[in-house]
Amino acid sequence: MSEHQRSDLSCPICRDVFRDPVVLTCSHSYCRACLQTMKVNLMKVKLRKHRQKAPWRNDDLVRAQKQQCRRAERKWRKSKLQVVCRLHAEKLKLFCVDHQEPLCLVCLHSDAHAGHNVKPIEEVARKHREQLRDLLKPLKEKLKNLEDVKEHLRQTAEHIQFQAQQTEKFLREQFKELQAFIQKEEETRIKALREEEKKKSLAMKVKIESLSKDIAALSETVRETEAALGGEEAVFLQNFRSAPQPVSGVLIDQAKHLGNLTFKVWKKMKTMASFTPVILDPNSANPELSLSQNLTAVTCGPRQNLPDNPERFSCFRIILGSKGFSSGTCSWDVEIPENTDWFVGVASESVHRKGTHPSCLWRIGCTNGEYVARSLTDPSTVLPNVWKLNRIRVHLDWERGKLVFFDLDASTHIHTFSHRFTETLFPYFNTHDICTTRGV
Protein backbone atom coordinates (compact mmCIF):
# COMPACT_ATOMS: atom_id res chain seq x y z
CA MET A 1 0.00 0.00 0.00
CA SER A 2 1.41 3.41 -1.03
CA GLU A 3 1.58 6.25 1.40
CA HIS A 4 -1.04 8.14 -0.65
CA GLN A 5 -3.48 5.24 -0.47
CA ARG A 6 -2.82 4.84 3.22
CA SER A 7 -3.52 8.54 3.87
CA ASP A 8 -6.91 8.27 2.13
CA LEU A 9 -7.93 5.53 4.58
CA SER A 10 -6.38 7.08 7.68
CA CYS A 11 -8.18 8.83 10.51
CA PRO A 12 -7.11 12.49 10.72
CA ILE A 13 -7.08 12.20 14.54
CA CYS A 14 -5.03 9.02 15.23
CA ARG A 15 -3.24 9.02 11.81
CA ASP A 16 -3.86 5.24 11.50
CA VAL A 17 -6.10 3.17 9.24
CA PHE A 18 -9.76 3.61 10.20
CA ARG A 19 -11.09 1.34 12.94
CA ASP A 20 -14.88 1.24 12.93
CA PRO A 21 -15.10 4.38 10.69
CA VAL A 22 -17.89 6.91 11.02
CA VAL A 23 -18.78 9.26 8.15
CA LEU A 24 -20.33 12.56 9.10
CA THR A 25 -22.74 14.58 6.95
CA CYS A 26 -19.88 16.81 6.02
CA SER A 27 -18.26 13.72 4.39
CA HIS A 28 -15.41 13.67 6.91
CA SER A 29 -14.51 10.25 8.31
CA TYR A 30 -13.14 9.40 11.76
CA CYS A 31 -12.64 6.36 13.95
CA ARG A 32 -15.62 5.97 16.23
CA ALA A 33 -13.34 5.65 19.26
CA CYS A 34 -11.42 8.80 18.28
CA LEU A 35 -14.60 10.81 18.15
CA GLN A 36 -15.70 9.51 21.55
CA THR A 37 -12.41 10.09 23.33
CA MET A 38 -11.12 13.31 21.76
CA LYS A 39 -10.82 16.01 24.39
CA VAL A 40 -9.27 18.88 22.49
CA ASN A 41 -11.52 21.94 22.79
CA LEU A 42 -11.29 22.92 19.15
CA MET A 43 -12.31 19.48 17.98
CA LYS A 44 -15.18 19.46 20.44
CA VAL A 45 -16.51 22.65 18.85
CA LYS A 46 -16.31 21.17 15.38
CA LEU A 47 -18.01 17.99 16.52
CA ARG A 48 -20.83 19.99 18.06
CA LYS A 49 -21.34 21.86 14.78
CA HIS A 50 -21.44 18.61 12.84
CA ARG A 51 -23.95 17.09 15.28
CA GLN A 52 -26.18 20.18 14.98
CA LYS A 53 -26.31 19.81 11.19
CA ALA A 54 -27.06 16.08 11.00
CA PRO A 55 -26.63 12.76 12.84
CA TRP A 56 -23.90 10.21 12.02
CA ARG A 57 -24.52 8.14 8.91
CA ASN A 58 -24.32 4.37 9.06
CA ASP A 59 -25.47 3.51 5.53
CA ASP A 60 -23.98 1.34 2.79
CA LEU A 61 -21.22 3.90 2.22
CA VAL A 62 -20.00 3.41 5.76
CA ARG A 63 -20.06 -0.37 5.43
CA ALA A 64 -18.13 -0.26 2.17
CA GLN A 65 -15.59 2.05 3.73
CA LYS A 66 -15.19 -0.30 6.67
CA GLN A 67 -14.49 -3.25 4.37
CA GLN A 68 -12.02 -1.21 2.37
CA CYS A 69 -10.25 -0.16 5.55
CA ARG A 70 -10.02 -3.77 6.76
CA ARG A 71 -8.56 -4.91 3.45
CA ALA A 72 -6.12 -2.02 3.39
CA GLU A 73 -5.07 -2.74 6.99
CA ARG A 74 -4.36 -6.39 6.23
CA LYS A 75 -2.42 -5.53 3.10
CA TRP A 76 -0.39 -2.89 4.87
CA ARG A 77 0.46 -5.14 7.79
CA LYS A 78 1.48 -7.93 5.41
CA SER A 79 3.75 -5.55 3.53
CA LYS A 80 5.43 -4.56 6.81
CA LEU A 81 6.50 -8.16 7.33
CA GLN A 82 8.37 -8.19 4.01
CA VAL A 83 11.93 -6.89 4.14
CA VAL A 84 12.54 -4.39 1.36
CA CYS A 85 15.48 -2.31 0.27
CA ARG A 86 15.70 0.98 2.11
CA LEU A 87 16.93 2.80 -0.99
CA HIS A 88 14.71 1.37 -3.69
CA ALA A 89 11.74 -0.14 -1.78
CA GLU A 90 12.28 -3.39 -3.72
CA LYS A 91 12.29 -6.87 -2.26
CA LEU A 92 15.74 -8.09 -1.18
CA LYS A 93 16.60 -11.11 -3.34
CA LEU A 94 20.41 -11.06 -3.48
CA PHE A 95 23.31 -11.03 -1.00
CA CYS A 96 26.66 -9.27 -1.42
CA VAL A 97 29.32 -11.56 0.02
CA ASP A 98 31.95 -8.79 -0.02
CA HIS A 99 29.85 -6.32 1.98
CA GLN A 100 27.88 -8.99 3.84
CA GLU A 101 24.56 -7.28 3.18
CA PRO A 102 21.33 -8.10 1.30
CA LEU A 103 20.62 -6.38 -2.05
CA CYS A 104 17.71 -5.77 -4.36
CA LEU A 105 17.91 -6.07 -8.17
CA VAL A 106 18.48 -2.33 -8.50
CA CYS A 107 21.38 -2.42 -6.04
CA LEU A 108 23.03 -5.15 -8.12
CA HIS A 109 23.65 -2.70 -10.97
CA SER A 110 24.87 0.16 -8.78
CA ASP A 111 28.49 1.25 -8.67
CA ALA A 112 28.68 0.42 -4.97
CA HIS A 113 28.53 -3.32 -5.73
CA ALA A 114 30.23 -3.45 -9.10
CA GLY A 115 32.37 -6.57 -9.44
CA HIS A 116 31.33 -7.97 -6.08
CA ASN A 117 30.56 -11.61 -5.35
CA VAL A 118 26.75 -11.66 -5.30
CA LYS A 119 24.64 -14.75 -4.58
CA PRO A 120 20.93 -15.46 -4.27
CA ILE A 121 19.80 -14.58 -0.79
CA GLU A 122 18.03 -17.95 -0.36
CA GLU A 123 21.31 -19.80 -1.04
CA VAL A 124 23.25 -17.72 1.50
CA ALA A 125 20.46 -18.00 4.05
CA ARG A 126 20.29 -21.78 3.58
CA LYS A 127 24.05 -22.07 4.10
CA HIS A 128 23.90 -19.96 7.26
CA ARG A 129 20.97 -21.99 8.56
CA GLU A 130 22.97 -25.19 8.05
CA GLN A 131 25.91 -23.66 9.91
CA LEU A 132 23.60 -22.63 12.74
CA ARG A 133 22.11 -26.11 12.89
CA ASP A 134 25.63 -27.56 13.13
CA LEU A 135 26.41 -25.14 15.94
CA LEU A 136 23.13 -25.99 17.67
CA LYS A 137 23.81 -29.75 17.72
CA PRO A 138 26.46 -29.71 20.50
CA LEU A 139 24.44 -27.12 22.40
CA LYS A 140 21.34 -29.31 22.24
CA GLU A 141 23.39 -32.35 23.31
CA LYS A 142 24.83 -30.37 26.21
CA LEU A 143 21.34 -29.19 27.14
CA LYS A 144 20.07 -32.76 27.08
CA ASN A 145 23.02 -33.92 29.21
CA LEU A 146 22.30 -31.18 31.72
CA GLU A 147 18.62 -32.12 31.79
CA ASP A 148 19.59 -35.78 32.30
CA VAL A 149 21.91 -34.81 35.16
CA LYS A 150 19.17 -32.68 36.69
CA GLU A 151 16.72 -35.59 36.47
CA HIS A 152 19.32 -37.91 37.98
CA LEU A 153 19.86 -35.47 40.85
CA ARG A 154 16.09 -35.18 41.35
CA GLN A 155 15.75 -38.98 41.53
CA THR A 156 18.72 -39.13 43.89
CA ALA A 157 17.12 -36.51 46.16
CA GLU A 158 13.89 -38.54 46.22
CA HIS A 159 15.84 -41.71 47.04
CA ILE A 160 17.67 -39.93 49.87
CA GLN A 161 14.30 -38.99 51.38
CA PHE A 162 13.09 -42.58 50.92
CA GLN A 163 16.24 -43.96 52.57
CA ALA A 164 15.89 -41.54 55.50
CA GLN A 165 12.23 -42.46 56.02
CA GLN A 166 12.96 -46.18 55.74
CA THR A 167 15.93 -45.97 58.13
CA GLU A 168 13.99 -43.86 60.64
CA LYS A 169 11.13 -46.38 60.57
CA PHE A 170 13.51 -49.27 61.27
CA LEU A 171 15.30 -47.30 64.03
CA ARG A 172 12.00 -46.58 65.75
CA GLU A 173 11.00 -50.24 65.52
CA GLN A 174 14.35 -51.37 66.95
CA PHE A 175 14.29 -48.90 69.83
CA LYS A 176 10.66 -49.73 70.48
CA GLU A 177 11.71 -53.36 70.94
CA LEU A 178 14.58 -52.30 73.20
CA GLN A 179 12.28 -50.06 75.23
CA ALA A 180 9.77 -52.90 75.57
CA PHE A 181 12.56 -55.21 76.73
CA ILE A 182 13.85 -52.67 79.26
CA GLN A 183 10.35 -52.02 80.57
CA LYS A 184 9.64 -55.72 80.91
CA GLU A 185 13.00 -56.28 82.63
CA GLU A 186 12.25 -53.41 85.02
CA GLU A 187 8.85 -54.85 85.87
CA THR A 188 10.34 -58.33 86.35
CA ARG A 189 13.03 -57.10 88.73
CA ILE A 190 10.65 -54.89 90.71
CA LYS A 191 8.26 -57.85 90.97
CA ALA A 192 11.10 -60.03 92.32
CA LEU A 193 11.90 -57.29 94.88
CA ARG A 194 8.25 -57.07 95.96
CA GLU A 195 8.02 -60.86 96.33
CA GLU A 196 11.18 -60.94 98.46
CA GLU A 197 9.83 -58.05 100.54
CA LYS A 198 6.50 -59.84 101.03
CA LYS A 199 8.16 -63.15 101.89
CA LYS A 200 10.60 -61.66 104.37
CA SER A 201 7.99 -59.33 105.90
CA LEU A 202 5.71 -62.33 106.48
CA ALA A 203 8.58 -64.31 108.00
CA MET A 204 9.40 -61.34 110.25
CA LYS A 205 5.75 -61.09 111.32
CA VAL A 206 5.75 -64.75 112.27
CA LYS A 207 8.98 -64.29 114.21
CA ILE A 208 7.58 -61.21 116.00
CA GLU A 209 4.49 -63.13 117.05
CA SER A 210 6.64 -66.03 118.18
CA LEU A 211 8.90 -63.65 120.11
CA SER A 212 5.88 -62.05 121.78
CA LYS A 213 4.96 -65.44 123.13
CA ASP A 214 8.57 -66.03 124.14
CA ILE A 215 8.67 -62.64 125.90
CA ALA A 216 5.60 -63.52 127.95
CA ALA A 217 7.06 -66.89 128.85
CA LEU A 218 10.42 -65.29 129.56
CA SER A 219 8.84 -62.74 131.88
CA GLU A 220 7.48 -65.60 133.90
CA THR A 221 10.90 -67.22 133.78
CA VAL A 222 12.50 -64.02 135.02
CA ARG A 223 10.27 -63.95 138.02
CA GLU A 224 10.99 -67.56 138.68
CA THR A 225 14.69 -66.96 138.15
CA GLU A 226 14.77 -64.08 140.57
CA ALA A 227 13.16 -66.29 143.12
CA ALA A 228 15.66 -69.03 142.34
CA LEU A 229 18.59 -66.73 142.83
CA GLY A 230 18.17 -66.99 146.50
CA GLY A 231 17.95 -70.79 146.43
CA GLU A 232 20.46 -73.57 146.18
CA GLU A 233 23.10 -73.45 143.38
CA ALA A 234 22.20 -76.91 142.07
CA VAL A 235 18.54 -75.98 141.64
CA PHE A 236 19.52 -72.70 139.90
CA LEU A 237 21.68 -74.49 137.31
CA GLN A 238 18.99 -77.09 136.58
CA ASN A 239 16.39 -74.38 135.76
CA PHE A 240 18.72 -72.07 133.66
CA ARG A 241 17.88 -71.63 129.95
CA SER A 242 19.89 -69.52 127.43
CA ALA A 243 18.28 -66.38 125.90
CA PRO A 244 17.03 -66.59 122.22
CA GLN A 245 19.58 -65.56 119.55
CA PRO A 246 18.92 -63.13 116.52
CA VAL A 247 18.17 -64.82 113.17
CA SER A 248 20.38 -64.04 110.06
CA GLY A 249 19.20 -63.45 106.49
CA VAL A 250 15.99 -61.64 107.41
CA LEU A 251 16.77 -58.34 105.58
CA ILE A 252 16.26 -57.52 101.86
CA ASP A 253 19.23 -58.67 99.77
CA GLN A 254 19.87 -55.30 98.13
CA ALA A 255 23.19 -56.46 96.70
CA LYS A 256 21.36 -59.12 94.72
CA HIS A 257 18.94 -56.61 93.23
CA LEU A 258 21.29 -53.67 92.61
CA GLY A 259 24.73 -55.21 92.18
CA ASN A 260 25.97 -55.00 88.54
CA LEU A 261 22.41 -54.22 87.49
CA THR A 262 23.23 -52.68 84.10
CA PHE A 263 25.70 -55.47 83.30
CA LYS A 264 23.11 -58.13 84.11
CA VAL A 265 20.51 -56.40 81.94
CA TRP A 266 23.02 -55.98 79.09
CA LYS A 267 24.02 -59.63 79.35
CA LYS A 268 20.39 -60.64 79.13
CA MET A 269 19.89 -58.28 76.16
CA LYS A 270 22.56 -60.18 74.26
CA THR A 271 20.06 -63.01 73.84
CA MET A 272 17.89 -60.73 71.68
CA ALA A 273 20.79 -59.13 69.79
CA SER A 274 23.30 -60.57 67.36
CA PHE A 275 26.53 -59.23 65.92
CA THR A 276 27.35 -59.58 62.22
CA PRO A 277 30.87 -58.57 61.12
CA VAL A 278 29.60 -57.88 57.59
CA ILE A 279 26.75 -55.43 56.97
CA LEU A 280 25.69 -55.13 53.33
CA ASP A 281 25.92 -51.73 51.65
CA PRO A 282 22.59 -50.90 49.93
CA ASN A 283 24.23 -48.04 47.99
CA SER A 284 26.41 -50.57 46.13
CA ALA A 285 23.61 -53.02 45.33
CA ASN A 286 22.67 -53.77 41.73
CA PRO A 287 19.07 -52.56 41.10
CA GLU A 288 17.88 -56.18 40.86
CA LEU A 289 18.94 -56.91 44.45
CA SER A 290 16.72 -56.28 47.48
CA LEU A 291 18.02 -56.21 51.06
CA SER A 292 16.49 -57.30 54.34
CA GLN A 293 15.66 -54.66 56.91
CA ASN A 294 18.75 -55.40 59.00
CA LEU A 295 21.02 -55.37 55.90
CA THR A 296 22.31 -58.92 56.37
CA ALA A 297 20.37 -60.78 53.63
CA VAL A 298 20.03 -60.08 49.91
CA THR A 299 17.51 -61.45 47.40
CA CYS A 300 17.38 -61.20 43.62
CA GLY A 301 14.12 -59.86 42.16
CA PRO A 302 12.55 -57.34 39.77
CA ARG A 303 14.66 -54.35 38.81
CA GLN A 304 14.12 -51.32 41.07
CA ASN A 305 14.24 -47.65 40.14
CA LEU A 306 17.38 -46.65 42.04
CA PRO A 307 19.85 -43.79 41.47
CA ASP A 308 22.88 -44.72 39.37
CA ASN A 309 25.31 -43.40 41.97
CA PRO A 310 29.06 -44.08 41.54
CA GLU A 311 29.09 -46.82 44.22
CA ARG A 312 26.31 -48.89 42.60
CA PHE A 313 27.04 -51.91 40.37
CA SER A 314 25.31 -51.68 37.01
CA CYS A 315 26.85 -54.91 35.73
CA PHE A 316 25.94 -58.25 37.28
CA ARG A 317 23.91 -58.73 40.47
CA ILE A 318 26.65 -57.64 42.87
CA ILE A 319 26.66 -56.08 46.32
CA LEU A 320 29.56 -55.32 48.68
CA GLY A 321 29.92 -55.13 52.41
CA SER A 322 29.71 -51.69 53.95
CA LYS A 323 33.10 -51.94 55.69
CA GLY A 324 36.44 -52.65 54.06
CA PHE A 325 39.54 -54.29 55.53
CA SER A 326 43.11 -53.14 55.00
CA SER A 327 44.84 -54.91 57.91
CA GLY A 328 44.41 -57.72 60.40
CA THR A 329 42.03 -60.68 60.07
CA CYS A 330 38.28 -61.02 59.75
CA SER A 331 35.83 -63.89 59.26
CA TRP A 332 32.19 -64.05 58.25
CA ASP A 333 29.70 -66.77 57.36
CA VAL A 334 27.50 -66.88 54.27
CA GLU A 335 24.31 -68.94 53.86
CA ILE A 336 23.21 -69.78 50.31
CA PRO A 337 20.31 -72.26 50.64
CA GLU A 338 19.00 -73.70 47.36
CA ASN A 339 21.06 -71.20 45.37
CA THR A 340 22.68 -72.54 42.20
CA ASP A 341 24.13 -69.34 40.73
CA TRP A 342 26.32 -67.30 43.09
CA PHE A 343 29.79 -66.07 44.01
CA VAL A 344 31.23 -64.93 47.35
CA GLY A 345 34.64 -63.55 48.26
CA VAL A 346 36.29 -60.13 48.34
CA ALA A 347 36.63 -57.19 45.96
CA SER A 348 39.28 -54.49 45.95
CA GLU A 349 38.31 -50.85 46.36
CA SER A 350 39.10 -50.16 42.66
CA VAL A 351 36.72 -52.82 41.33
CA HIS A 352 34.86 -51.84 38.15
CA ARG A 353 31.23 -51.09 38.90
CA LYS A 354 29.86 -49.69 35.63
CA GLY A 355 29.25 -51.23 32.25
CA THR A 356 32.19 -53.67 32.05
CA HIS A 357 32.97 -56.97 33.66
CA PRO A 358 34.26 -56.33 37.19
CA SER A 359 37.90 -57.11 37.93
CA CYS A 360 40.03 -57.17 41.10
CA LEU A 361 37.95 -60.00 42.61
CA TRP A 362 38.86 -63.14 44.55
CA ARG A 363 35.86 -65.46 44.89
CA ILE A 364 34.40 -68.95 44.74
CA GLY A 365 30.96 -69.79 43.45
CA CYS A 366 28.55 -72.01 41.59
CA THR A 367 27.82 -71.52 37.89
CA ASN A 368 26.50 -73.88 35.22
CA GLY A 369 26.28 -76.65 37.81
CA GLU A 370 29.97 -76.45 38.76
CA TYR A 371 31.76 -75.11 41.84
CA VAL A 372 34.68 -72.93 40.72
CA ALA A 373 37.27 -70.49 42.04
CA ARG A 374 38.20 -67.28 40.20
CA SER A 375 41.07 -64.91 40.92
CA LEU A 376 41.38 -61.49 39.26
CA THR A 377 41.09 -62.05 35.49
CA ASP A 378 42.40 -65.64 35.60
CA PRO A 379 40.19 -68.39 34.14
CA SER A 380 37.98 -70.42 36.46
CA THR A 381 39.37 -73.36 38.39
CA VAL A 382 36.97 -76.22 39.11
CA LEU A 383 36.87 -77.06 42.82
CA PRO A 384 37.39 -80.80 43.42
CA ASN A 385 35.47 -82.84 45.99
CA VAL A 386 32.80 -80.17 46.47
CA TRP A 387 29.24 -81.49 46.18
CA LYS A 388 26.81 -79.20 47.95
CA LEU A 389 27.57 -75.91 49.68
CA ASN A 390 24.98 -74.28 51.96
CA ARG A 391 27.06 -72.51 54.63
CA ILE A 392 30.50 -71.06 53.89
CA ARG A 393 32.99 -69.39 56.18
CA VAL A 394 35.21 -66.74 54.59
CA HIS A 395 38.44 -65.94 56.45
CA LEU A 396 40.61 -63.01 55.34
CA ASP A 397 44.16 -62.52 56.61
CA TRP A 398 45.05 -59.27 54.81
CA GLU A 399 48.63 -58.94 56.05
CA ARG A 400 49.57 -62.54 55.24
CA GLY A 401 47.77 -62.34 51.88
CA LYS A 402 45.44 -65.28 52.52
CA LEU A 403 41.76 -65.68 51.66
CA VAL A 404 40.43 -69.04 52.87
CA PHE A 405 37.00 -70.67 52.34
CA PHE A 406 35.55 -73.42 54.55
CA ASP A 407 32.49 -75.67 54.25
CA LEU A 408 30.81 -75.29 57.67
CA ASP A 409 28.42 -78.21 57.18
CA ALA A 410 31.18 -80.67 56.29
CA SER A 411 33.86 -78.91 58.42
CA THR A 412 36.26 -79.07 55.48
CA HIS A 413 38.58 -76.69 53.65
CA ILE A 414 37.34 -75.55 50.22
CA HIS A 415 39.95 -73.26 48.69
CA THR A 416 42.70 -70.75 49.52
CA PHE A 417 43.81 -67.70 47.52
CA SER A 418 47.32 -66.35 48.11
CA HIS A 419 48.00 -62.79 46.98
CA ARG A 420 49.90 -59.74 48.16
CA PHE A 421 47.02 -57.38 48.85
CA THR A 422 47.67 -53.66 48.49
CA GLU A 423 44.14 -52.19 48.50
CA THR A 424 41.25 -52.15 50.93
CA LEU A 425 39.13 -55.29 50.44
CA PHE A 426 35.35 -55.45 50.77
CA PRO A 427 33.22 -58.57 51.24
CA TYR A 428 31.73 -59.44 47.84
CA PHE A 429 28.44 -61.18 46.94
CA ASN A 430 27.00 -62.03 43.53
CA THR A 431 23.70 -63.90 43.56
CA HIS A 432 20.66 -64.82 41.45
CA ASP A 433 18.68 -65.98 44.49
CA ILE A 434 19.12 -65.56 48.26
CA CYS A 435 22.33 -64.89 50.18
CA THR A 436 22.68 -64.17 53.91
CA THR A 437 25.64 -63.12 56.06
CA ARG A 438 26.02 -64.31 59.63
CA GLY A 439 28.22 -63.48 62.62
CA VAL A 440 31.22 -65.62 63.49
Side-chain angles (χ1 to χ4, degrees), residues 370-373 379-386 415:
E370 286 186 327
Y371 289 101
V372 297
S380 300
T381 301
V382 177
L383 297 174
N385 303 322
V386 178
H415 189 75

Coordinates of all heavy atoms in Angstrom, one line a residue, residues 370-373 379-386 415:
E370 N 28.6 -76.1 38.3 CA 30.0 -76.5 38.8 C 30.4 -75.5 39.8 O 30.0 -74.3 39.8 CB 31.0 -76.4 37.6 CG 31.0 -77.5 36.7 CD 32.1 -77.4 35.6 OE1 32.5 -76.3 35.3 OE2 32.6 -78.5 35.2
Y371 N 31.2 -76.0 40.8 CA 31.8 -75.1 41.8 C 33.2 -74.7 41.4 O 34.0 -75.6 41.0 CB 31.8 -75.8 43.2 CG 30.5 -76.0 43.8 CD1 29.8 -77.2 43.8 CD2 29.9 -75.0 44.5 CE1 28.6 -77.4 44.3 CE2 28.6 -75.1 45.1 CZ 28.0 -76.3 45.0 OH 26.7 -76.5 45.6
V372 N 33.4 -73.4 41.3 CA 34.7 -72.9 40.7 C 35.3 -71.9 41.6 O 34.6 -71.3 42.5 CB 34.5 -72.4 39.3 CG1 34.0 -73.4 38.3 CG2 33.5 -71.2 39.3
A373 N 36.6 -71.6 41.4 CA 37.3 -70.5 42.0 C 37.8 -69.6 41.0 O 38.3 -70.1 39.9 CB 38.4 -71.0 42.9
P379 N 41.3 -67.5 34.4 CA 40.2 -68.4 34.1 C 39.7 -69.2 35.4 O 40.5 -69.3 36.4 CB 40.7 -69.3 33.1 CG 42.2 -69.3 33.2 CD 42.6 -67.9 33.7
S380 N 38.5 -69.7 35.3 CA 38.0 -70.4 36.5 C 38.7 -71.7 36.7 O 39.2 -72.4 35.8 CB 36.5 -70.7 36.2 OG 35.8 -69.5 36.1
T381 N 38.8 -72.1 38.0 CA 39.4 -73.4 38.4 C 38.3 -74.2 39.1 O 37.7 -73.7 40.0 CB 40.5 -73.2 39.4 OG1 41.5 -72.4 38.8 CG2 41.1 -74.5 39.8
V382 N 38.0 -75.4 38.5 CA 37.0 -76.2 39.1 C 37.4 -76.7 40.5 O 38.6 -77.1 40.6 CB 36.7 -77.4 38.2 CG1 35.6 -78.3 38.8 CG2 36.2 -76.9 36.8
L383 N 36.5 -76.6 41.5 CA 36.9 -77.1 42.8 C 36.6 -78.6 43.0 O 35.4 -79.0 42.8 CB 36.0 -76.3 43.8 CG 36.3 -74.8 43.9 CD1 35.3 -74.1 44.8 CD2 37.7 -74.5 44.3
P384 N 37.6 -79.4 43.3 CA 37.4 -80.8 43.4 C 36.7 -81.1 44.8 O 36.8 -80.4 45.7 CB 38.8 -81.4 43.3 CG 39.7 -80.3 43.9 CD 39.0 -79.0 43.5
N385 N 36.0 -82.3 44.8 CA 35.5 -82.8 46.0 C 34.5 -81.9 46.7 O 34.4 -81.9 47.9 CB 36.6 -83.2 47.0 CG 37.6 -84.2 46.3 OD1 37.2 -85.1 45.6 ND2 38.8 -84.1 46.6
V386 N 33.8 -81.1 45.9 CA 32.8 -80.2 46.5 C 31.5 -80.6 45.8 O 31.3 -80.5 44.6 CB 33.1 -78.7 46.2 CG1 32.0 -77.8 46.7 CG2 34.4 -78.3 46.8
H415 N 39.0 -73.8 49.6 CA 40.0 -73.3 48.7 C 40.7 -72.1 49.4 O 40.1 -71.5 50.3 CB 39.3 -72.7 47.4 CG 40.2 -72.3 46.4 ND1 40.9 -73.2 45.6 CD2 40.6 -71.0 46.0 CE1 41.7 -72.5 44.7 NE2 41.5 -71.2 44.9

